[in-house]
Amino acid sequence: MKRREFIRHAAGGMGAAWLSGRAATLSAKSRFLASLGMTNGATLAEARLAALSARPRKFAANETVTIGKTGIQTSMLAMGTGTVGSGHHSHQTALGIKGLSDLLLNGYQRGLRFFDAADSYGSHPHVAEALKHVPRDKVTVLTKTWARDAATARADIERFRQELGTDYLDICLMHCLTEGDWTERYRGVMDVFEEARQKGTIRAHGCSCHSIEALRTATKSSWVQVHLVRINPIGSFMDSDPQTVVGVMREMKAAGKGIVGMKILGQGDMRNRQDEALKFALGLGLLDAFTIGAESRTEQEDLIRRIGMAA
């Protein structure tokens, strides 16, 4: 073979080898990014950062978290009071005022600082009793209203403060939204909440959604500071399948919204698969906090232990 032809063939072979290696690298990168839920538009540096953040870590139910950009700091685990909650009743309120308030205080003694209430659960008197025994500024009180007009929203905020025995509500949510156009339909309620936040009678506002249309609308709304999102690995009592909901949650997180998970155990459907449900929720890296309603001290303490074991 002549020298010129040798060089040409050698260069071609080297180029083919380089392209083959490059293709393999890109293919590996694509698989790596896909495993992190990222696209090829992401840089390797971003991917490595995502991989580091996605690595398992130890969690604690009582670790301090910040809810989005609200500045509200509280415990990762919120003590739910609304298992099968409707008509001013729930499994927790069935414990009675002393029974539920004692359960909340038992959690407080173990570092839980997040009380999750709602008008529809009928749990305000129970939370109010617990608040008598703890420093008000050491706990976060979240509650929810079904108000769909401005007058009702204004009246509810005042009534809730009286029922809870507190000057302010940390987080107040519009409860159980289902309409895709709710930000237009219930603008009056949103304005009342914003007015209350400006006055300091609530610290942050947001919503809980019960349809994927409402959830997507909430994600796009600058008014929503805190989302209460239904999430578990089996899609039980959720707005859509887990993959779809997680995709929307990623948009929320990117927008700096506060995300509090609910239905972590699928309203009891995963009661016998708690570790799986907890690992799924915590492994997402998207929740600021999450709420689960225990019904006894034994159940509450077991839940705290399980969260500490999840990684």
Side-chain angles (χ1 to χ4, degrees):
M1 183 182 291
K2 293 181 179 179
R3 183 172 182 275
R4 181 176 299 175
E5 291 179 350
F6 172 79
I7 293 173
R8 178 169 57 83
H9 284 289
M14 291 172 63
W18 183 87
L19 288 172
S20 177
R22 178 62 174 164
T25 299
L26 290 173
S27 178
K29 177 185 174 184
S30 296
R31 290 194 299 272
F32 178 50
L33 293 173
S35 72
L36 299 171
M38 304 176 74
T39 67
N40 264 326
T43 66
L44 281 174
E46 290 170 333
R48 291 190 183 104
L49 181 62
L52 285 172
S53 65
R55 286 178 180 172
R57 73 170 180 87
K58 286 290 185 180
F59 295 95
N62 61 3
E63 69 180 75
T64 300
V65 300
T66 302
I67 307 299
K69 295 181 179 179
T70 66
I72 296 173
Q73 292 190 316
T74 189
S75 60
M76 175 179 285
L77 177 62
M79 293 179 280
T81 63
T83 302
V84 193
S86 65
H88 302 283
H89 183 272
S90 72
H91 288 187
Q92 284 73 33
T93 60
L95 299 173
I97 290 179
K98 186 177 189 308
L100 179 49
S101 63
D102 283 351
L103 185 60
L104 295 172
L105 293 173
N106 185 66
Y108 180 86
Q109 291 168 5
R110 284 154 181 76
L112 305 185
R113 298 291 185 265
F114 202 166
F115 296 174
D116 172 25
D119 185 34
S120 63
Y121 308 158
S123 58
H124 288 169
H126 310 69
V127 172
E129 180 60 31
L131 288 176
K132 294 176 183 178
H133 305 283
V134 299
R136 176 64 184 90
D137 63 348
K138 298 299 183 183
V139 295
T140 299
V141 177
L142 179 154
T143 191
K144 317 168 192 79
T145 173
W146 276 83
R148 297 297 190 257
D149 62 80
T152 303
R154 189 171 287 109
D156 276 359
I157 290 173
E158 293 309 306
R159 176 167 61 85
F160 292 0
R161 291 165 63 206
Q162 292 177 16
E163 290 176 352
L164 289 161
T166 180
D167 292 335
Y168 64 93
L169 309 172
D170 293 288
I171 303 172
C172 195
L173 306 180
M174 295 179 68
H175 203 175
C176 199
L177 292 167
T178 59
E179 302 86 351
D181 64 347
W182 69 264
T183 51
E184 300 172 13
R185 190 178 300 199
Y186 305 131
R187 185 74 238 181
V189 177
M190 296 165 67
D191 290 343
V192 168
F193 274 41
E194 177 60 21
E195 177 185 315
R197 188 177 70 83
Q198 295 293 338
K199 291 180 178 179
T201 50
I202 63 175
R203 295 177 65 195
H205 44 64
C207 61
S208 72
C209 295
H210 284 239
S211 80
I212 192 64
E213 294 79 15
L215 192 68
R216 286 186 169 126
T217 297
T219 301
K220 297 172 184 176
S221 172
S222 60
W223 176 88
V224 178
Q225 298 172 295
V226 181
H227 295 261
L228 195 57
V229 182
R230 304 190 290 179
I231 183 68
N232 57 70
I234 62 174
S236 180
F237 293 91
M238 284 176 52
D239 300 326
S240 186
D241 62 273
Q243 183 178 359
T244 298
V245 172
V246 168
V248 177
M249 290 170 66
R250 286 198 182 105
E251 294 178 30
M252 293 177 186
K253 196 70 172 180
K257 305 294 186 72
I259 308 176
V260 180
M262 62 172 170
K263 295 293 187 289
I264 303 299
L265 301 181
Q267 196 165 296
D269 286 350
M270 298 192 72
R271 182 178 290 272
N272 297 322
R273 299 164 60 185
Q274 293 184 57
D275 295 336
E276 177 188 349
L278 290 169
K279 286 180 180 180
F280 173 78
L282 292 166
L284 292 172
L286 297 170
L287 298 176
D288 295 316
F290 57 94
T291 179
I292 298 178
E295 298 177 31
S296 69
R297 291 188 183 190
T298 300
E299 191 174 279
Q300 182 184 68
E301 291 166 17
D302 180 64
L303 177 60
I304 291 170
R305 180 188 64 80
R306 288 177 185 274
I307 292 169
M309 297 292 290

